[in-house]
């Protein structure tokens, strides 16, 4: 989801559908992929919350009665995870930014489906 969102915002900004492609796909094709990934993630999230509802309620009840500080090892593992995710995202962003190619012939032309020449209409 983050990857396709990044692609839609930076390497293939609005208005670049007919001029650029990234790894063989245009902006609108990445938009379709982004939509279906988000739809799938929402479905997985709903299923996950449903399957773990008892655990969620138990944790909320425990936290409301006695709030304790996090264990230091949890903070270290969280920081390490954040660093790994950040490095991965930066590597992906750099690769995507440097892999954009100009399309020599637009995939969709405004003349698609029309027959005859435009000069005969004048």
């Amino acid at each position: 989801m983050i990857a396709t969102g990044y692609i839609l915002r930076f390497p293939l900004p609005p208005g670049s559908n007919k001029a650029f492609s990234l790894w063989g796909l245009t902006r609108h094709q990445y938009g379709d992929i982004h939509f279906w990934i988000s739809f799938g993630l929402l479905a997985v999230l709903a299923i996950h919350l449903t399957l773990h509802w008892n655990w969620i309620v138990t944790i909320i009840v425990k936290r409301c009665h006695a709030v304790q500080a996090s264990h230091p090892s949890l903070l270290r593992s969280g920081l390490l995870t954040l660093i790994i995710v950040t490095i991965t995202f930066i590597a992906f962003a750099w690769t995507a930014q440097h892999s954009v190619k100009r399309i020599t012939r637009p995939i969709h032309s405004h003349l698609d489906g029309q027959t005859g020449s435009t000069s005969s209409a004048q």
Side-chain angles (χ1 to χ4, degrees), residues 24-35:
L25 298 174
T26 64
R27 175 178 170 74
H28 289 282
Q29 291 168 325
Y30 276 109
D32 291 341
I33 293 169
H34 188 73
F35 170 78

Side-chain angles (χ1 to χ4, degrees), residues 42-78:
L42 285 174
V44 169
L45 178 65
I47 292 168
H48 181 76
L49 289 174
T50 303
L51 292 174
H52 294 88
W53 190 250
N54 288 334
W55 180 84
I56 293 168
V57 171
T58 302
I59 293 298
I60 290 172
V61 168
K62 283 183 181 180
R63 297 258 173 161
C64 288
H65 294 299
V67 178
Q68 296 178 353
S70 296
H71 195 272
S73 65
L74 292 176
L75 295 175
R76 280 191 294 257
S77 65

Side-chain angles (χ1 to χ4, degrees), residues 3 6 12-13 21-23 33 36 38 43 50 52 75 82 86 89-90 96-97 103 107 112 114 116 118:
Y6 176 84
L12 298 176
S21 72
L22 176 62
W23 302 313
I33 293 169
W36 287 110
S38 66
T50 303
H52 294 88
L75 295 175
L82 180 64
T86 302
F89 180 74
I90 290 170
Q97 196 68 34
I103 299 174
I107 293 176
D112 282 351
Q114 295 180 0
T118 57

Side-chain angles (χ1 to χ4, degrees), residues 85-108:
V85 167
T86 302
I87 290 171
T88 303
F89 180 74
I90 290 170
F92 171 81
W94 184 88
T95 303
Q97 196 68 34
H98 290 83
S99 298
V100 174
K101 296 179 182 176
R102 181 173 291 280
I103 299 174
T104 55
R105 192 180 73 156
I107 293 176
H108 301 291

